[in-house]
Amino acid sequence: MGKLIVMNPAHASTPAARYGRVAITLHWLIGAALLAQITFGFLLDDIAPRGTPARAATINLHKSFGIVLALLIVVRLVWRLKHRPPAWPLALSEWQRSTSQWSHRLLYACMLVMPLSGYLGSNFSKYGVKFFGLALKPWGPVSPSWYAVFNGIHIVTAFLFCGLIAVHVAAALKHALVDRDAVFSRIWFKRPA
Ligand code: HEM
Ligand code: HEM
């Protein structure tokens, strides 16, 4: 009689366990777009200082890009919830697994809070949102205090997000260049055999 071998998926990792093509594409597409959007956000005052004619168009461009990004992020999150990530490489210790898991959760949280706080704040300002020229009707009253709350969340989360991304990239580079394990390659595009 053949023996039935039951494997715990958490321990079933092989060097070949990789993220799928869709997850990889979404990771790098959204990652690059987010880095550009964060830079754009921090440069808003330099590109178009308050009170200058270019200010409204520049802010609306930031808002429009942010809304497109939000839609991509929702697609990514839904995809992620429906597809389990690959099993951990065996070389990872328990603390590395849980730190990685929690940092990814926080990255997803920032990805949601950034566009949401921007959008909610805009609905309490007299400017509302012009999505690539199309005025989206604001549904909130003009309220400087509510605007300040959501704008504050937008700004604080932006700094938190930058810190998390810095740690994330440093960890990824350490795995790729120092440990030389499978962590980086499993989310990088596979070369044809
Ligand atoms: C993933 C999407 C987004 C990212 C990463 C992002 C990032 C940023 C960053 C880094 C800043 C500069 C913060 C600072 O002044 O210290 C900023 C400012 C701003 N963002 Fe966003 N943003 C996003 C989406 C949105 C959306 C969807 C809206 C509105 C619909 C929005 C509205 C604003 C506004 C109005 C400011 C200027 C705040 C001010 O100068 O007082 N953002 N954003
Ligand atoms: C805004 C920029 C970025 C964000 C928001 C981001 C976010 C994420 C998230 C949420 C995951 C977990 C994927 C999942 O299980 O669903 C992940 C995985 C990963 N990211 Fe990023 N990422 C960014 C940029 C980068 C960059 C620039 C690098 C490399 C230098 C990188 C390297 C990796 C690696 C190696 C993994 C796989 C980790 C693992 O196997 O568990 N990421 N990223």
Side-chain angles (χ1 to χ4, degrees):
M1 274 276 272
K3 241 204 244 164
L4 179 67
I5 300 174
V6 181
M7 285 180 87
N8 178 346
H11 298 127
S13 174
T14 68
R18 299 170 46 76
Y19 280 94
R21 219 177 331 151
V22 174
I24 292 175
T25 307
L26 288 171
H27 172 267
W28 293 106
L29 174 72
I30 293 174
L34 274 171
L35 292 178
Q37 173 77 347
I38 293 171
T39 311
F40 188 20
F42 282 127
L43 290 179
L44 281 176
D45 287 345
D46 298 313
I47 297 169
R50 281 166 211 278
T52 59
R55 179 75 180 180
T58 309
I59 294 271
N60 273 312
L61 200 58
H62 174 81
K63 292 178 178 178
S64 305
F65 286 151
I67 291 172
V68 173
L69 254 168
L71 298 176
L72 282 171
I73 288 164
V74 169
V75 169
R76 178 176 181 189
L77 199 60
V78 170
W79 184 269
R80 173 64 169 79
L81 293 174
K82 291 191 167 185
H83 298 82
R84 285 166 66 95
W88 300 105
L90 289 172
L92 291 198
S93 62
E94 202 47 56
W95 78 264
Q96 284 177 312
R97 291 172 194 213
S98 61
T99 312
S100 157
Q101 201 169 36
W102 276 103
S103 63
H104 292 167
R105 282 179 189 158
L106 287 174
L107 283 165
Y108 277 119
C110 288
M111 282 190 254
L112 289 175
V113 170
M114 282 311 297
L116 198 61
S117 55
Y119 176 73
L120 291 175
S122 297
N123 277 291
F124 293 106
S125 92
K126 63 178 183 223
Y127 301 111
V129 178
K130 284 204 184 70
F131 182 67
F132 296 111
L134 174 75
L136 306 181
K137 220 170 156 7
W139 40 260
V142 173
S143 162
S145 46
W146 277 112
Y147 175 77
V149 168
F150 288 112
N151 193 35
I153 294 175
H154 199 63
I155 293 172
V156 170
T157 309
F159 283 101
L160 196 79
F161 200 14
C162 288
L164 275 170
I165 293 169
V167 173
H168 179 69
V169 171
L173 292 180
K174 180 181 179 280
H175 281 290
L177 305 174
V178 180
D179 303 338
R180 292 170 183 268
D181 56 22
V183 170
F184 189 86
S185 58
R186 73 207 212 116
I187 203 160
W188 190 244
F189 300 92
K190 199 173 182 178
R191 270 176 281 157

